[in-house]
Amino acid sequence: MTGWIKTAIGLLCVCIVAGSFAAMAAGNTASQPETHTAARPGETEASAAPANSAAEASDRRPERPAAPALPATTTANTTHTANTAKELEALRAMERMAENETLVLYANRNTAEIAVKDKRDGYVWFSNPADRDEDPIASPLYKAESASQVIVSYYNEKGQINTMNSYAESVQKGQFTLEQTGAGLKVVYELGSAAAATSNVPQRISKERMEEAILNRIEDADVREDVAFKFRFNEEAQVYELRKLQDYVLEELSATLASIGYTAEDAAMDQGEGDGSAAAAEKPSFTVPLEYELDGEHLVVKVPLAELRYAETYPIAHLQLLKHFGAAGSSKTGYLFVPDGTGALIRLNNGRLNAEAFRRAVYGDDGTFDVKEAPRQSELVRLPVFGMKQNDHAFVGMIEDGDALAAVMADIGGRNDSYNTVGAQFKIVAMDHYTLTSGTKSSSVPMFERQPYQGDILIRYAFLSGDEADYAGMAVRYRERLAERYGLTRLEPGDAPFMLELVGAFPKEKSFLGIPYKSTESLTGYGEARQLLQELKAQGVGRIALRYVGWFNGGIRHDLPSRVRPIGALGGKSGLRELVNYAESNQVELYPDVALQQAYEKPGRPASFLNRKTAKIYKYDLVSGVQDKSAFSHYILSPSALFGLAERFAAAYDDYGIGGLSLRDLGSEVNSDFDTDHPVSRQDALQIAQQTAAMLRERTGKLMVSGGNAYSLPYAGMIVNAPDGSSGHNLTDETVPFYQIALHGYFELAGTPFNMSERQDPHYAALQALETGSNIYYQWMFSPSSAVKETPYNDLYALHYGDWIGEAAELYKEASETLKRVRHLVITDHRKLADNVTQTVFENGVSIIVNYNNTAVQVNGMKIDARSYRLDGEPS
């Protein structure tokens, strides 16, 4: 590079930094972001000429429809930030590895860190903070973590977890390779000691064997002397003991011994002779391949697990990838997005250091772990996604493979280092303890998963800037990816459905002449369901989507659904057929409900816990939280038996000609099977669930799912019991409707039944539904509430339809016209206008402003009454 180019770039960087300070001093007025053109292969970023920012701006994605004007108390984000001088310096030390129309990928061959430049605005994202060496908080360990791309957690022989990071245990030791690929690069890390590769080096060896098997075989005197020096001779024991060597020295010694034919088997034998023990214990060492690829507007990060290597005695517990990708320092403003329930925000540097870091397993906990005490009740992570906004830039990470093994992790700066971080950790090998008891003594032995998932771990990153750089923009990008990946289709314009769940039959303990027996009792018969539907129609409810729970095989906790038997107490086959015919003729979509993974009687092939016991689930005591062995809940069906059971059910279900089906558990939980004969990893179980859902949709026509986990979305048309809030984790600051923003316009959505929500306030639930464009949803039974009194089903006590139908019909009629106008539209923006006042913007420019306050408010020049809403704008 010529001197004048270096000088020009240096002056440009100085001007950018000076301009940033000037902008701050002038009240955060806009300054242009720093931009660079891509270097040619082999060039560093410093050798590329500055780009024309106006030309690059023409490549930007069209802006989403603007929201109506904000109130005077809210100001639009007009600050345009550029990379810091420190980041630009780090970029100049990197080489260009790949480029497409949108992104450029760089890597530093000395540190293995990467950077991605978004050509649309010139902003560069880094895998590791450029100023990490100056962190005043981090200890050497956490500084090493902030320089790492991979953090490995592994088990020792006692099942205890230790960690290694790729910087300290691979990069600093020179134990990694970095190679360019077609659209990116691949880094292979060798973490830990070189023990696995140097197992032919004895830790101790007798004097006789040392001379006979090693020294006398080395012809070169200098080499022989060098090898001897690497051992210390113990005169008293007459053995040679290996000195403490650097890994590269150990590798050289191993190569020398291999050249004379000295093997790992020889070393094992000699160590046994020298110290009276078996072969020296393996040391923890790991091979982790990490691939980066540019795919359109996305950076794809992948670990092919089939290429992962670890010692059998030190299995990998978790892999955490790119923990510090896009990490925001203490000077940044914005938030971390975590998919807790509907979604939650963690403000950068919010100071809540007394709160635990955020960690939530995607799709909830694996059911095939025998948990003795109930964890704190919280919303599940339904969508495998996370993100960060810092100033006017943002990214969203989408976990597309290995999602059932993933947990989303996030933390603020100030705890271990100065950086706010969000990302994903993946469970590689599951572990649980098996308790051995002998008399009054007991001990726990670790049990490890025998057949871990062998596919890929994959995270896809998308980048946003300007007005798009917020949680709504993240949800829009995630929605676009879902639609592209699964070929999702939009809803057609039309009436919004009144979503209704009816409870059919339940088992009740009775006695006759002192002899106990179990009876199947009706709560809503087939004819009663028809009567109830007619009453709703008479009160002005047009379109109804009916989920019918407990309609066959004994009721709510039905027998294995390998066959279908309508319940006599509900009206038998003829009554069911009459209900089906009525639904077809009266704009009622019927979705009878079935549980396929939860088995209420022991199935032929139940799943197994890691401790080899049958996966039998019990309820928990409400007071103590301890597992109640007297309160059986269900067995977990082995995923290996799921598809076959579903096929048998579908064959029997076909006879009734019902055009819809509700899946109770297939879209709400995913579980492993640790059976030694047919183990199934959790990710493999997810794939079986998807195959099963695909088959059932093809056989039945339409599916309704409860919960709405991401893997069920390609097969669902309706989602009930979708998240309608977050867990209120101590670290989070705000709940946001990310889930609904991402899915609205493609799915009919409903949260918790209005009459079963914690608030017990259907009017509040209706406002929430309007805010998110979701549907009115109730759960009822025809029988009086006393029918379930003093039974295990007393949680259904307040479901008598007569107590709710009038109010429900009025809420539906009030909301249905608004919902009809927006139900088929995607959400383009969502924001908080004031305390307890939100605005949701749809793609045609119409917005719904909801006021949850008990007093009226003035926003956008409009008065919104207390606990009310306003439709703003007309369709374009």
Side-chain angles (χ1 to χ4, degrees), residues 473-737:
M474 295 176 198
V476 169
R477 291 294 177 88
Y478 184 59
R479 177 178 66 226
E480 291 172 349
R481 177 57 187 165
L482 286 175
E484 174 190 28
R485 185 182 182 195
Y486 295 123
L488 302 181
T489 56
R490 296 280 292 273
L491 296 176
E492 295 293 333
D495 291 336
F498 179 91
M499 299 181 78
L500 174 64
E501 178 177 324
L502 293 180
V503 183
F506 77 108
K508 187 173 183 179
E509 298 289 342
K510 290 188 172 183
S511 65
F512 179 72
L513 298 177
I515 302 173
Y517 69 97
K518 186 176 290 185
S519 171
T520 301
E521 299 289 311
S522 172
L523 294 175
T524 309
Y526 306 133
E528 292 167 336
R530 194 168 68 252
Q531 178 184 334
L532 192 155
L533 293 169
Q534 289 170 339
E535 289 188 39
L536 267 178
K537 293 280 185 180
Q539 295 198 38
V541 179
R543 181 185 173 194
I544 301 173
L546 173 59
R547 182 188 189 209
Y548 198 1
V549 177
W551 63 278
F552 80 119
N553 287 24
I556 300 171
R557 295 167 60 81
H558 57 69
D559 301 338
L560 282 178
S562 52
R563 53 181 180 167
V564 174
R565 301 187 311 277
I567 298 171
L570 298 182
K573 286 185 178 181
S574 60
L576 177 59
R577 294 191 188 281
E578 288 176 7
L579 175 60
V580 172
N581 293 336
Y582 174 84
E584 288 179 349
S585 305
N586 290 275
Q587 203 181 358
V588 175
E589 299 164 49
L590 180 58
Y591 296 90
D593 182 73
V594 62
L596 292 168
Q597 297 183 112
Q598 295 183 3
Y600 306 108
E601 61 178 12
K602 190 171 184 178
R605 186 177 290 178
S608 295
F609 293 135
L610 250 176
N611 60 16
R612 301 183 184 177
K613 294 181 180 179
T614 298
K616 189 176 183 180
I617 308 302
Y618 295 90
K619 298 177 183 178
Y620 295 88
D621 183 270
L622 294 177
V623 177
S624 67
V626 176
Q627 193 179 77
D628 184 355
K629 289 290 187 178
S630 67
F632 167 69
S633 176
H634 60 275
Y635 293 93
I636 294 177
L637 181 77
S638 171
S640 62
L642 175 61
F643 191 87
L645 175 65
E647 279 192 314
R648 294 192 295 276
F649 168 78
Y653 190 70
D654 284 346
D655 293 342
Y656 296 90
I658 305 172
L661 180 67
S662 165
L663 301 177
R664 182 182 308 179
D665 51 18
L666 209 58
S668 62
E669 64 180 72
V670 56
N671 305 304
S672 308
D673 183 3
F674 298 110
D675 185 278
T676 53
D677 294 328
H678 41 76
V680 182
S681 74
R682 198 179 191 214
Q683 189 67 31
D684 289 320
L686 179 150
Q687 294 172 0
I688 294 170
Q690 286 187 308
Q691 294 163 5
T692 303
M695 180 271 294
L696 290 171
R697 185 183 65 174
E698 183 177 350
R699 296 285 291 268
T700 63
K702 294 181 294 183
L703 292 182
M704 172 188 287
V705 301
S706 178
N709 287 348
Y711 58 83
S712 68
L713 297 179
Y715 318 103
M718 293 196 171
I719 301 171
V720 295
N721 297 311
D724 47 19
S726 71
S727 303
H729 190 285
N730 289 337
L731 193 64
T732 62
D733 294 283
E734 184 178 342
T735 298
V736 294

